[in-house]
Amino acid sequence: QVQLTESGGGLVQPGGSLRLSCAASEAIFIPYSMVWYRQPPGKRRDLIASITTGGSTNYADSVKGRFTVSLDTAERTGYLQMSSLKAEDTAVYYCSVWDGGEEYWGKGTQVTVSS
């Protein structure tokens, strides 16, 4: 069973940047998609970005132009580069992987944007 571990969360000031990582415990058969979600306090979990092993990316309007998703299949790690962070970006961030047969989830990492 593949395990995903997110890291890189923390406290950052508005306008700052963070890079989240999502590391898989073992190899995942290509092709697959990695999807990033976030769940603000008291709200639902929303999809914010995705990337396929083929390199296709998609972003929610709320993060487009500020967040960049990438994937290093050799390192079994995906990244979410977040810039120009706002208070409303405060949330628990999750990654998931869908390989066409199984879906795997991480436990999340907290991002807090506050001065």
Side-chain angles (χ1 to χ4, degrees), residues 21-107:
S21 300
C22 174
S25 60
E26 58 188 79
I28 304 172
F29 287 111
I30 291 173
Y32 61 86
S33 300
M34 178 173 286
V35 184
W36 289 89
Y37 296 81
R38 68 183 181 188
Q39 187 167 17
K43 297 185 178 181
R44 68 181 186 186
R45 188 177 300 184
D46 286 329
L47 188 156
I48 58 169
S50 66
I51 184 167
T52 69
T53 48
S56 297
T57 58
N58 279 290
Y59 298 91
D61 288 343
S62 59
V63 306
K64 197 173 294 182
R66 299 188 299 123
F67 290 11
T68 302
V69 64
S70 60
L71 185 60
D72 186 334
T73 55
E75 295 296 324
R76 307 193 305 267
T77 302
Y79 302 95
L80 184 67
Q81 177 68 48
M82 306 185 295
S83 303
S84 302
L85 285 163
K86 309 173 183 179
E88 51 263 44
D89 294 318
T90 295
V92 178
Y93 285 71
Y94 300 88
C95 65
S96 74
V97 166
W98 167 249
D99 67 2
E102 298 283 342
E103 185 173 35
Y104 310 101
W105 283 87
K107 295 183 179 180

Side-chain angles (χ1 to χ4, degrees), residues 103-114:
E103 185 173 35
Y104 310 101
W105 283 87
K107 295 183 179 180
T109 186
Q110 175 70 46
V111 172
T112 302
V113 184
S114 175

